[in-house]
Amino acid sequence: MIRGRGDCGVTDAHCFGSARGLVSRDIDGHERWWDGAAWTEHLRAAPASTTATESGALQGRGIPVWAGVLIGVVAFGLVLGGGGMVAFAGAISGLTAEREGSGASGVGEAEAAEGMAIVPDVIGLTVADARVELEAVGLAIKTPWAEDDDIVATQLYSPGRELELGTEVFVTIEQPLEGSIDNPLPAGYPFGIWDVDPDDPWATITIAVKDPNADAAIAAASGLNDTARPGHHFVAVEYVVTAEADEPVWVEDLVGDWTLSQADGVQIPASDSVIVMPDGWTAPADVNDLYEGQTASAVVLYQVSDAYTGPLLASAYGAYVKVALPAA
């Protein structure tokens, strides 16, 4: 309760907080309200059931004591001007901090059960920073082939999930690990084909040029084979596939996922003009299914422009690999 001071509108008046704001009551029991800029001219008799005690005037109207204190501080700030408003700001800061510290908001840091950890959000962090965040709560990071300065794009377990301590959180990075058309993987790279875990591929494939000028070999294989169209020559590319899992690998389907291109991205379609392969060359459709530990090769023929002398790239799954040239 603030007592005295002519700003309440009447001599020897009482000012106190109510559900409608700051109230002024004169010695005759009439009330009026502060509307934020001035006191209202309207007067009314105070309710008989209301008393102006420090606690009753606040609690009797259903307002917590701390809220009444804030209202009183507002009034005091208005009376004192700028200095009072400084005090008002300090009061709000103090009360807010007190309520937050006491848990009044009902929101706090999630705590993991014993032997468990809460997954942090590491998307957008570098791999190095993500590792620090995960290890700080007792988890580990799993991201094969990534560099420490790569940026995390996705994470396998969503933030806030509870996992057992020591669980590996698999993340991917923003740039494809397998290489881009401007920076393809090196020739002879053993490309792993996997579904969930890159450390557990179900097949591995390497790609190399078997014969950069295969026209003579194709012509000798059978008179049924067509020659390359004008301005082009045959290039034989060999796909060597190794099965890494118990499930069978369909070589024809696997090789069919790959395309050949020039370094500038121009696609080179597989040739359909060869009926009979040279001896020792097996078309993908003629390769049997492979099982764990088995390896087989399949040869695909392409017609490449005579004018193109740059490197050849094989691509699949968003990755580009340089096609290895045969040893001189």
Side-chain angles (χ1 to χ4, degrees):
M1 180 174 66
I2 305 174
R3 180 170 179 82
R5 307 196 71 86
D7 294 275
C8 281
V10 290
T11 305
D12 199 25
H14 294 86
C15 296
F16 56 88
S18 76
R20 294 186 58 184
L22 192 64
V23 178
S24 168
R25 180 180 302 149
D26 62 18
I27 57 178
D28 295 323
H30 294 93
E31 293 180 348
R32 56 182 175 176
W33 288 264
W34 180 262
D35 63 6
W39 291 99
T40 62
E41 294 298 323
H42 177 70
L43 297 176
R44 77 166 191 178
S49 61
T50 302
T51 61
T53 62
E54 291 180 351
S55 61
L58 301 176
Q59 300 288 5
R61 295 175 181 262
I63 300 176
V65 173
W66 69 267
V69 173
L70 285 179
I71 294 171
V73 174
V74 171
F76 190 65
L78 292 171
V79 171
L80 297 183
M85 293 311 294
V86 173
F88 167 61
I92 285 183
S93 176
L95 285 173
T96 301
E98 179 181 352
R99 285 179 60 75
E100 290 178 349
S102 64
S105 65
V107 178
E109 291 292 332
E111 293 185 3
E114 184 177 356
M116 306 293 285
I118 302 297
V119 178
D121 185 356
V122 298
I123 295 176
L125 301 181
T126 63
V127 169
D129 289 341
R131 182 181 297 109
V132 171
E133 290 287 327
L134 290 166
E135 291 179 352
V137 298
L139 300 174
I141 192 171
K142 186 178 183 67
T143 175
W145 307 311
E147 301 293 336
D148 279 352
D149 57 354
D150 288 331
I151 303 299
V152 175
T154 64
Q155 61 186 83
L156 177 60
Y157 298 110
S158 59
R161 181 169 174 175
E162 195 170 63
L163 301 175
E164 291 185 2
L165 291 175
T167 300
E168 292 182 323
V169 177
F170 181 76
V171 303
T172 63
I173 62 173
E174 290 185 350
Q175 297 298 323
L177 295 172
E178 296 82 3
S180 65
I181 191 169
D182 296 322
N183 185 28
L185 291 168
Y189 181 85
F191 195 96
I193 313 298
W194 50 275
D195 292 324
V196 177
D197 187 348
D199 279 348
D200 188 24
W202 51 269
T204 301
I205 189 168
T206 57
I207 306 169
V209 172
K210 188 174 185 68
D211 189 339
N213 292 285
D215 297 67
I218 291 171
S222 173
L224 298 176
N225 292 335
D226 292 333
T227 59
R229 65 183 183 272
H232 292 73
H233 62 279
F234 285 112
V235 173
V237 175
E238 183 177 35
Y239 295 82
V240 178
V241 180
T242 300
E244 306 283 356
D246 294 334
E247 299 178 358
V249 173
W250 291 275
V251 175
E252 182 180 10
D253 290 344
L254 180 59
V255 173
D257 290 337
W258 290 82
T259 60
L260 199 68
S261 70
Q262 300 177 174
D264 57 5
V266 174
Q267 296 292 306
I268 304 173
S271 176
D272 58 1
S273 63
V274 176
I275 298 175
V276 180
M277 283 284 203
D279 290 341
W281 297 8
T282 306
D286 297 327
V287 178
N288 294 326
D289 296 340
L290 301 180
Y291 291 84
E292 186 174 11
Q294 293 182 328
T295 298
S297 68
V299 177
V300 179
L301 298 170
Y302 300 89
Q303 295 189 40
V304 179
S305 170
D306 294 337
Y308 182 72
T309 58
L312 295 174
L313 305 179
S315 64
Y317 321 112
Y320 287 84
V321 182
K322 284 185 177 180
V323 178
L325 295 173

